[in-house]
Every structure is written in C-alpha cells, then in structure tokens.
Amino acid sequence: MSAPVTVVLLLPEVLGTYGDAGNAEVLATRLRWRGIEGRVLTVGWTDAVPSGGDVYVLGGGEDAAQVLACDRLRDSIGLRRALDRGAPTLAVCAGLQILGTAFTIADGTRVPGVGVLDVETRPGGGPRRIGDVVADPLVDGLDVPLEGFENHGGITELGPDAAPLARVREVGRGPGGAGNGTGDRLEGAVSDRGRGTVVGTYLHGPVLARNPALADLLLTKAVGELPPLELPEGMPAATAARLRGTGDDLGVRTGARRRAGA
Ligand code: GLN
C-alpha cells in the first residue's frame, strides 16, 4: 500500500488567526473524495518541520505572530529542503509575506523572509485592506475567478522572479479588493523557479474551501493527474456544484445573483 499523501500544516498556533488551517483539511478531504489516502500533519511550535511532506500550508497572522513564525521557519532545514525539492506550497497573507525576501512591519522593523518567493512587503499606511475580493486568475491551470476576503496592512511588491496569481476585479462588477495593495490590482504571487509551485495569496476563506480549483491545482502538482471527485451521496446540488470547482456556481460566488435579488 502506498504511503498517505501528507499535507503539512505549519505553525497554526501563530498562523491560524484567520481560519486558514482549514486549507489543509480541504486538501486532505479532496484527496479522500478521490480514493487517495490523505492526512494532515500539524507542525506545532516545538516540532521540527519534516522535509518529506507532499504539500505545505501556511496561514495568516498578526504582525507579532508573523515575526515569530518567520524566525522559526527561516532557520528550518526541513522546510528549506522541502522547498528546494519543489514541494507545492500554499501561503496565505502573513504566510505569503514570510516566504518573500523580506517584510517590514508597522513599527518599521524589517524582517528577512524565507526567500522562496521574489516579493517584498512594506507597511501600507492608512486603513487596513479589509473586505471581499473577486479576482481573475493569471496562471495556467486556473480559469474560474478566485474569491475570498482580505485583511492586511502590508503592501506586497513582486520582483522579476514572481508572477501574480490573479487580478482583482474593479469595484462595480461585484466585490473588488486591494489584492497586493500596489494599485495595479495584482493579487498574490506564484513562483516556479523550475522547482515546483509556491502559491502566495491574500485571500482567506479558507481560500481552498472557496476555490476548489486552486486546491486541485496544488494537489495535481503534488500527486499528478487526479482521479474524478466522488462526492458523498445526498449532498445538495448547489454544494456539489461548488465542490466540483467548475464555475457553474459562479453567479453566486461573485455576488451577481445576490445583487439581482436571487
Ligand atoms: N500582519 C500582516 C499584515 O497585516 C498579515 C495579516 C494577515 O495575515 N491577515 O499585513
């Protein structure tokens, strides 16, 4: 029997403020619904990061928690090895900032990051960027709009080795959003660097619960072509449509139907 596919959830004690730990559960559950054994391995504050995981997941957190997490992860040989061999990784908000080259928090402290994503984050000043986001994907393998909610003070600039994940829609066609906060409506960052895919995003939700296609993209990178999804019997049609991630539920997802009074 083959070993279970291991989803490594990093430091949810400090990177768990926004419910992003759910992303790991989504990945394991979508594997199970395909007859593939999947498990979540939670790496707590005192645990070593394993280098042999199949997918790695980091969530968001407040500035102080983020600095603690970053100091811990920057020195982790296990994480470094996993990233070097191209393990697919999802990093949300503080997680995105941590995987960058550096971030500067509101009090002016500049913290070197893990450096696997060519992005740098600085304080945005003014009000935090809080609200619903709908964004059109800019990467191969995703063709359904992404949605989620953002809540961040930092602004993230992409360097030449990072590509944006998506572009947020303009307000007026449904929820818009700030995305990375750089004024060009870019959202998130993706790096292949010939090794695998690291996906960073500002979207909470958890983002993989709200965007099954993104979950499946990460799973495909981890295990190859995915068998069809066998959803549990008796699931309401609307839920099943959402879980299939085909975009058939798009009107609801982007708010179009809500605005039309449906
Ligand atoms: N502390 C970071 C910021 O405010 C990240 C916030 C988050 O993870 N939601 O920019």
Side-chain angles (χ1 to χ4, degrees), residues 18 60-63 66 93-94 97 128 151-154 204:
Y18 299 88
E62 304 82 352
D63 280 6
Q66 177 177 336
C93 203
Q97 298 179 9
R128 289 176 72 78
N151 184 342
H152 56 108
H204 301 287

Side-chain angles (χ1 to χ4, degrees), residues 138 158 164-168 178-188 202:
L138 297 173
L158 273 55
L165 172 66
R167 187 182 300 278
V168 295
N180 296 338
T182 38
D184 48 13
R185 311 204 323 274
L186 297 181
E187 159 25 57
Y202 272 108

